[in-house]
Amino acid sequence: MSATAPISPTVAEAPARALVEIRRVRKSFGAHEVLRDVSLAVPEGTVTVLLGPSGSGKSTLLRCINHLETIDGGRIIVDGELIGYRQAGHNIHEMTPKQIARQRRAIGMVFQRFNLFPHLTALENITEAPIGIGGVPRARARARANELLDRVGLAAFAGHYPAQLSGGQQQRVAIARALAMDPKLMLFDEPTSALDPELVGDVLDVMRELARDGMTMIVVTHEIGFARGVADQVVFMDGGVVVEAGRPEDVLDHPQRQRTRNFLESVR
Amino acid sequence: MTALHDATLALAPDATDDDVVAIPLRRPWRWISAAVVLLLVAAFASSVLTNPNIDFAAIGEFLFDPRILEGVWLTLLITAISMIVSTVLAIVVAAMRLSSNPVLSTVAWFYVWAFRGTPLLVQIVLWGYLGLLYAKLTVGIPFTDVVFWQVNTNELISAFVAGLLALTLNQAAYSSEIVRAGMLSVDEGQREASYSLGMSPLYTFRRVLLPQAMRVIIPPMGNETISMLKNTSLLSVIAVLEIYTQATVISSQNLKQVELLIVASLWYLFMTSVLSIPQYYLERRYGRGTSRTLPPTPLQRVRRALATRRPAPAPAPETKEVSVV
């Protein structure tokens, strides 16, 4: 294990190594091709925002990165490790659920509909995985969970059940729950789409802070303001392909492709 | 604006007429229907209590007869064993039904179809006759001569075991559908969230899916337990000495059929009433997080009532007289 130096919050320095490499990934649901030869690299410590109309394949791509969806071809590599598959000869073969579960511990995910465990309190939601599968002692897991709740501004809500929290609070607990496994990578699947407009800000603030702390993040969102302010890379997808990718000021302000321009006009 | 002002002024002189009390509709039929029903209940009660053909002393005498108590014990034992074993079996059958393996799900479907589609009474008698069907029971490798263990069917399958088998296998068919409904009630997002945290499928099932499914499973399973307790009486056809059989055996000697049926019924009522207590607490436990506040338990209710009664009610604040004029 090499001790990685603390990641500087400024990104404009020497190109960091790619933490996530997506190479020629293909995926179909029946006859419908959702991803066609998608390739993408996400440098360590950077934020990538995936934009695109619904059905463009951006959520599916995100779900492939932690193998919630299988792929039909290509490779997804996170931190040098092939995700969900093992290379054998020319082809790659799917791993067992146990092996995949081990890989997923390093990849946090936040869902559009929060998916908190309704039978557990906010604190228990956060400690369940570290205690149950991470082998962290109970007392230490609880202390860390309280720390994380404090970080997302919910220190006073440790004993609340999800049903007693607002959508924005639930989503922040969900972020804390994912962070409790100390992931190297965080995936956000439309984290603010199910929220009332006045609650979106709190969730985005937590994500901004996370980005400032150097977390590598891939975010599917329609929040153009967030993409402009936080993203290091914006990727526009449509019809299962990457149409355009680059720095936010380039893709958002000077899009090269007509499809990108049309989309940006429609969300503006 | 001025018109409205004028209208208010115009109403003002009559304002005292509006100081009236709203009286709810009188409902005489409530009183009449209640009186009629009470009269019928009283007539029935007196016809039973004053009936010279019922020997009340015998009911008291046999209520705690050792044979009856033995029957009660056996009824409880059969209920407990069948419910526990059938629930384990039901989880397996439900998992098979939900499996993407077509062979497993089809076999599970047929199991439920067969055991739910034939009367329990018929199944009980059939298991009682198992010795006619298979003289010997063997444990070995199917379709080979390899035998690990062999026994005469009638030695192993006593009436008690046959009864247990019948009740358990029948109940598993019903319970598996309840378990399956419970599993289907849990949102798919729960599984994804668990997997994304690195939980294995088994861990996810045990710690995330099952506790949530239990909320849906427990109320109908409480019903099934109570049904099971009463269905044990069907084992009288293969002479298992549970409480109903014991009662009929005794009444065949002393000819006090009605009295002993009352004795058995009193015991059934007592046992089913007691069974609803653990159900209440289980529902409470698995209901965590679903409602914003859990209702108090009966014990908490009693404590709260005592606590509020103890201090003398605070004297009402003196009403300040408000002069209107």
Side-chain angles (χ1 to χ4, degrees):
Chain A
M1 285 279 108
S2 63
T4 39
I7 301 138
S8 153
T10 50
V11 212
E13 299 174 4
R17 73 176 182 124
L19 183 75
V20 182
E21 276 180 85
I22 296 166
R23 296 196 215 146
R24 306 200 55 184
V25 165
R26 288 178 283 120
K27 164 83 185 167
S28 301
F29 289 120
H32 176 58
E33 270 194 293
V34 198
L35 298 174
R36 318 174 186 200
D37 256 347
V38 173
S39 294
L40 189 68
V42 176
E44 190 162 25
T46 67
V47 176
T48 295
V49 166
L50 298 182
L51 287 179
S54 62
S56 61
K58 54 193 193 311
S59 278
T60 305
L61 180 64
L62 198 73
R63 293 160 55 82
C64 287
I65 297 174
N66 66 352
H67 203 70
L68 282 183
E69 302 282 358
T70 56
I71 57 176
D72 299 337
R75 287 191 177 81
I76 294 175
I77 296 156
V78 175
D79 202 19
E81 219 178 305
L82 196 59
I83 294 296
Y85 297 86
R86 181 185 308 287
Q87 182 89 36
H90 179 66
N91 290 327
I92 55 175
H93 299 265
E94 194 173 7
M95 289 177 169
T96 65
K98 218 174 166 180
Q99 294 167 324
I100 294 164
R102 192 190 53 74
Q103 290 187 330
R104 286 191 183 119
R105 290 181 204 178
I107 305 173
M109 187 163 195
V110 175
F111 299 85
Q112 182 177 352
R113 283 168 53 243
F114 331 133
N115 297 347
L116 287 181
F117 305 135
H119 59 302
L120 302 178
T121 62
L123 189 89
E124 289 164 347
N125 261 279
I126 301 173
T127 56
E128 179 63 43
I131 295 172
I133 56 177
V136 178
R138 187 167 295 270
R140 215 173 72 209
R142 291 177 70 90
R144 169 103 168 101
N146 277 313
E147 214 176 279
L148 285 165
L149 277 174
D150 190 40
R151 192 164 153 197
V152 298
L154 294 171
F157 295 87
H160 285 57
Y161 285 99
Q164 299 166 315
L165 300 172
S166 75
Q169 291 169 333
Q170 288 190 52
Q171 192 61 298
R172 285 184 280 156
V173 172
I175 294 173
R177 175 176 72 175
L179 291 175
M181 291 301 283
D182 290 319
K184 295 176 216 152
L185 169 69
M186 286 284 285
L187 308 174
F188 292 85
D189 190 3
E190 304 205 23
T192 58
S193 296
L195 297 177
D196 290 337
E198 78 270 21
L199 303 175
V200 169
D202 291 339
V203 173
L204 291 182
D205 284 346
V206 168
M207 290 167 63
R208 264 189 207 104
E209 204 179 305
L210 204 55
R212 253 201 308 277
D213 293 345
M215 175 63 76
T216 311
M217 293 161 59
I218 304 179
V219 185
V220 172
T221 186
H222 295 295
E223 299 284 337
I224 303 291
F226 177 83
R228 195 187 301 279
V230 182
D232 301 289
Q233 174 179 225
V234 171
V235 177
F236 176 70
M237 286 182 71
D238 193 13
V241 294
V242 173
V243 176
E244 204 164 333
R247 297 190 307 170
E249 52 270 36
D250 294 338
V251 176
L252 297 175
D253 299 330
H254 308 287
Q256 303 298 308
R257 303 296 185 87
Q258 190 57 43
R259 273 199 282 181
T260 317
R261 277 195 284 273
N262 290 346
F263 174 77
L264 288 171
E265 259 161 43
S266 71
V267 291
R268 208 157 266 150
Chain B
M1 196 60 200
T2 43
L4 182 70
H5 196 64
D6 287 349
T8 325
L9 279 181
L11 273 177
D14 292 332
T16 46
D17 281 359
D18 293 339
D19 183 16
V20 293
V21 176
I23 294 160
L25 175 67
R26 305 247 184 255
R27 298 176 191 275
W29 280 107
R30 284 189 181 174
W31 294 96
I32 295 168
S33 57
V36 170
V37 169
L38 273 181
L39 186 72
L40 290 175
V41 169
F44 173 72
S46 98
S47 79
V48 172
L49 293 174
T50 59
N51 191 329
N53 296 326
I54 300 179
D55 182 355
F56 286 99
I59 295 176
E61 184 190 329
F62 284 106
L63 197 54
F64 297 105
D65 185 281
R67 285 170 293 178
I68 290 289
L69 293 181
E70 247 170 61
V72 168
W73 165 243
L74 198 62
T75 295
L76 286 173
L77 187 71
I78 293 170
T79 305
I81 296 176
S82 327
M83 278 317 286
I84 292 167
V85 178
S86 69
T87 303
V88 173
L89 200 58
I91 293 173
V92 174
V93 175
M96 285 170 68
R97 256 322 279 283
L98 294 168
S99 153
S100 47
N101 185 330
V103 174
L104 295 191
S105 72
T106 308
V107 168
W109 186 88
F110 269 103
Y111 177 87
V112 174
W113 173 76
F115 281 90
R116 221 169 46 166
T118 52
L120 178 55
L121 187 62
V122 172
Q123 291 175 30
I124 290 169
V125 178
L126 207 59
W127 284 107
Y129 284 139
L130 191 69
L132 295 183
L133 206 55
Y134 300 102
K136 285 179 189 306
L137 293 179
T138 43
V139 177
I141 299 171
F143 306 115
T144 64
D145 293 332
V146 182
V147 171
F148 301 128
W149 185 71
Q150 192 172 42
V151 69
N152 281 331
T153 304
N154 287 332
E155 273 172 44
L156 181 73
I157 310 287
S158 61
F160 174 72
V161 175
L164 272 182
L165 268 174
L167 291 174
T168 303
L169 293 175
N170 179 267
Q171 185 57 47
Y174 283 93
S175 298
S176 76
E177 288 296 281
I178 294 172
V179 172
R180 192 169 70 97
M183 296 307 300
L184 289 175
S185 76
V186 182
D187 187 75
E188 185 55 28
Q190 294 292 308
R191 189 193 303 269
E192 292 189 348
S194 311
Y195 284 0
S196 78
L197 287 165
M199 296 178 186
S200 67
L202 187 66
Y203 187 93
T204 302
F205 175 78
R206 202 166 54 79
R207 296 285 299 180
V208 177
L209 305 182
L210 194 60
Q212 292 181 57
M214 287 300 266
R215 194 172 56 80
V216 175
I217 291 172
I218 284 182
M221 284 304 266
N223 266 342
E224 294 297 317
T225 309
I226 284 169
S227 294
M228 172 64 80
L229 188 102
K230 294 179 296 176
N231 283 342
T232 54
S233 62
L234 292 174
L235 298 187
S236 61
V237 295
I238 54 171
V240 174
L241 291 172
E242 44 68 56
I243 178 165
Y244 173 73
T245 315
Q246 290 283 18
T248 49
V249 166
I250 296 171
S251 64
S252 68
Q253 291 158 6
N254 66 8
L255 302 181
K256 295 196 183 298
Q257 284 89 349
V258 175
E259 288 79 356
L260 278 146
L261 284 179
I262 291 174
V263 166
S265 300
L266 287 174
W267 274 109
Y268 281 122
L269 278 173
F270 173 73
M271 291 187 284
T272 51
S273 309
V274 169
L275 275 181
S276 52
I277 296 172
Q279 181 178 3
Y280 177 85
Y281 283 93
L282 277 173
E283 277 180 31
R284 235 179 94 82
R285 167 157 171 76
Y286 286 105
R288 282 173 314 169
T290 48
S291 61
R292 290 177 185 233
T293 47
L294 286 175
T297 63
L299 195 67
Q300 285 169 339
R301 248 177 259 241
V302 169
R303 272 199 204 128
R304 207 164 294 174
L306 287 176
T308 48
R309 191 160 301 168
R310 229 171 275 143
E318 273 179 47
T319 11
K320 289 195 187 96
E321 211 172 301
V322 181
S323 55
V324 185
V325 189

